[in-house]
Amino acid sequence: MSIPPCDVLVVGTGAAGLTAALVAAERGASVLMLTKGHAPDSSSWHAQGGIAGAIGDDDTAALHAGDTERAGRDLCRPSAVHVLVEEGPERVRELITMGVPFDPELSLEGGHSRRRVSSVEGAATGWAVTSLLGRRALRSDRIATIEATAVLSLLAADGRCIGVLTPEGPVTARATVLAMGGAAALWARTTNPAGQIGDAVAIAVTAGAAVADMEFMQFHPTVLEGSRLLLTEALRGEGATLIDSAGERFVDELAPRDEVARALVRKGRAFLDLRSIDRSRFPGLMAEIERSGFDPAVQPIPVSPAAHYTIGGIVTDLNGRTDINGLYAAGECAATGVHGANRLASNSLLECLVFGRRAALAALDEPPLPASLRDAAAHEPAAPPERVAPESLREQVWRDAGVMRDPAALTELAASPDPVASLVARFALARAESRGVHYRIDVPAPDPAFEGHFVLRPGRGLALEHWT
Ligand code: SIN
């Protein structure tokens, strides 16, 4: 099968990819969306709590920025935070206009000083937003979607990215937008769909793009023991408590996520007590908990942390541009610096909407691909095999680069043949301090000498950069 060229190729069908595709198509571009799974396999689809945005009467973009920066532990890139919080409310209002049935009340989540999270049925926000955007993409005659087609590498010619190589052959485009999600499924215990193993970073690094912040994997504290079922932070916003085996509370439930995750690990076994909250606000989630064999009305639910969100990724500017011409990245696979060392709850769907749109607008400025470059794609060498993450690798990543890290284990992981696992370990070794989601047992405090982003640029090795 030969896949026809398009103006904008979007890899990934989550909220960032759908946003980029719709924005580009609305402006007349022909768009092809590719995904290695099926469209609803994205992390966005599974996102629960919601979308942060200063739309409440008592809220401002400045307050949202302050909370984002506090959670990010002195590492958020100020210009990216400014864009996120200033443009965020408009993106949320657009979704309201499109018909997303947001709950009448804003939710509260950890690290937020205001109720500012828009959610659907308490915990069905990702599904509601991505299915609505997905239906709009299906209706657009400028957007085609091909599922079950992995991207094996990027195609480059004449100093620019000209598309991607798939098992079906090359796909060329004026601009390529990677919106492929993160790497949390590289950890054995994760909330993410199985395919989220950092493919975007793997192919971008091979092509010579810079990556940053790979040491920062965010662990969500409240995931049902022995499963991938996330119990949204909004439950704690409604008053759910975390208790130990003796029924005692042991942590501020609304502290930033990294603190809560470490408190759970230190405690050993913990339970989320939902008995006193208004559970009717979360109908779908309560049904899922019951299907998993627990009755939230009578028993506290056993929870423990799981890898949830990849803060690091492909370095981009505020318009999704990577340092390879014609290549853009948005959403979880991108590193704009907006989350610093710890993402504030519910800033990730917002990031997809804000930076997915910006990436699409910038991509539209790419010049057409001359026929000679399209022809060059036909002569690409054979594609590399599709990357896989066997259980043994995922167990090792969980063990060696988990919530609490020690340098000996990281050194072993750095030698992994898997490029993303190895990068995580190399970045985590370089950051010889503890900050946000990255905790080193040998250096348990932050060190001002590390107030910057570790970046790996081709030919330059790992170096600390200061992003404004
Ligand atoms: C949650 O609902 O707790 C997760 C939302 C997020 O990761 O921001």
Side-chain angles (χ1 to χ4, degrees):
M1 173 182 82
S2 132
I3 303 175
C6 59
D7 293 322
V8 179
L9 171 62
V10 177
V11 188
T13 51
L18 285 165
T19 301
L22 288 165
V23 167
E26 276 157 16
R27 284 154 183 79
S30 62
V31 177
L32 174 64
M33 300 191 77
L34 278 183
T35 175
K36 75 173 178 180
H38 297 286
D41 290 341
S42 70
S43 296
S44 311
W45 185 278
H46 297 270
Q48 293 191 7
I51 310 177
I55 58 173
D57 292 341
D58 63 345
D59 205 0
T60 64
L63 286 170
H64 187 186
D67 291 345
T68 299
E69 280 162 356
R70 251 186 310 282
R73 302 303 198 302
D74 298 320
L75 224 59
C76 293
R77 182 181 188 179
S79 55
V81 173
H82 180 80
V83 163
L84 184 81
V85 301
E86 290 290 340
E87 296 184 10
E90 183 63 24
R91 303 285 83 79
V92 175
R93 286 192 195 100
E94 279 168 5
L95 291 180
I96 295 171
T97 307
M98 284 180 206
V100 174
F102 286 119
D103 298 335
E105 274 180 39
L106 295 169
S107 305
L108 180 65
E109 293 186 7
H112 289 275
S113 58
R114 295 287 186 279
R115 286 191 168 261
R116 68 162 69 91
V117 177
S118 297
S119 46
V120 177
E121 291 188 6
T125 319
W127 165 80
V129 170
T130 41
S131 56
L132 181 134
L133 297 178
R135 283 195 299 277
R136 289 173 85 94
L138 266 180
R139 283 202 301 270
S140 167
D141 54 12
R142 293 205 182 88
I143 302 177
T145 303
I146 301 180
E147 299 180 304
T149 301
V151 167
L152 304 173
S153 63
L154 295 170
L155 290 174
D158 209 15
R160 81 187 259 202
C161 175
I162 60 167
V164 301
L165 201 52
T166 76
E168 315 296 339
V171 186
T172 57
R174 262 163 64 190
T176 300
V177 181
L178 301 183
M180 298 162 71
L186 205 50
W187 277 252
R189 184 147 170 73
T190 182
T191 61
N192 281 204
Q196 298 293 320
I197 56 172
D199 290 339
V201 163
I203 60 172
V205 165
T206 304
V211 292
D213 292 338
M214 291 301 295
E215 68 276 37
F216 294 130
M217 166 55 58
Q218 182 172 63
F219 297 90
H220 197 292
T222 53
V223 182
L224 179 66
E225 242 181 35
S227 87
R228 287 180 185 221
L229 181 61
L230 182 84
L231 303 185
T232 177
E233 206 159 307
L235 294 164
R236 283 175 272 140
E238 293 308 306
T241 52
L242 280 164
I243 55 175
D244 62 16
S245 305
E248 299 295 327
R249 288 178 66 195
F250 57 91
V251 64
D252 169 6
E253 286 82 358
L254 291 177
R257 210 169 263 183
D258 58 327
E259 287 175 32
V260 183
R262 281 193 294 277
L264 262 76
V265 169
R266 289 193 181 104
K267 190 44 76 177
R269 191 122 205 261
F271 301 82
L272 189 64
D273 190 346
L274 305 172
R275 289 175 294 184
S276 64
I277 68 164
D278 177 5
R279 294 181 302 280
S280 67
R281 282 200 65 187
F282 306 89
L285 181 56
M286 292 307 129
E288 276 202 67
I289 294 174
E290 281 170 25
R291 275 197 294 278
S292 305
F294 297 92
D295 183 348
V298 299
Q299 64 188 133
I301 314 298
V303 289
S304 67
H308 179 58
Y309 180 86
T310 312
I311 290 174
I314 306 160
V315 174
T316 71
D317 69 8
L318 301 182
N319 294 307
R321 283 191 199 89
T322 70
D323 48 13
I324 298 179
N325 290 334
L327 180 67
Y328 296 76
E332 195 174 346
C333 68
T336 58
V338 71
H339 304 303
N342 179 41
R343 176 178 64 87
L344 183 66
S346 286
N347 266 357
S348 52
L349 281 177
L350 184 67
E351 164 192 36
C352 292
L353 303 173
V354 168
F355 291 104
R357 178 173 187 276
R358 286 179 151 247
L361 293 176
L364 291 171
D365 288 340
E366 291 293 333
L369 268 196
S372 59
L373 288 189
R374 283 205 301 273
D375 292 346
H379 304 295
E380 275 293 312
E386 187 175 345
R387 195 172 142 255
V388 290
E391 194 55 28
S392 55
L393 171 66
R394 300 178 58 243
E395 290 292 349
Q396 187 190 3
V397 176
W398 176 253
R399 194 177 60 239
D400 293 350
V403 178
M404 311 276 207
R405 300 163 169 190
D406 88 71
L410 288 171
T411 304
E412 274 185 33
L413 187 63
S416 169
D418 182 80
V420 180
S422 171
L423 278 178
V424 168
R426 287 170 59 200
F427 275 71
L429 281 168
R431 185 168 291 282
E433 64 158 358
S434 292
R435 184 182 296 272
V437 300
H438 168 71
Y439 188 86
R440 288 259 304 252
I441 55 175
D442 56 324
V443 272
D447 177 345
F450 288 102
E451 270 175 25
H453 300 263
F454 275 107
V455 184
L456 182 64
R457 296 190 186 273
R460 281 202 240 160
L462 258 183
L464 207 58
E465 295 184 6
H466 299 277
W467 294 353
T468 52

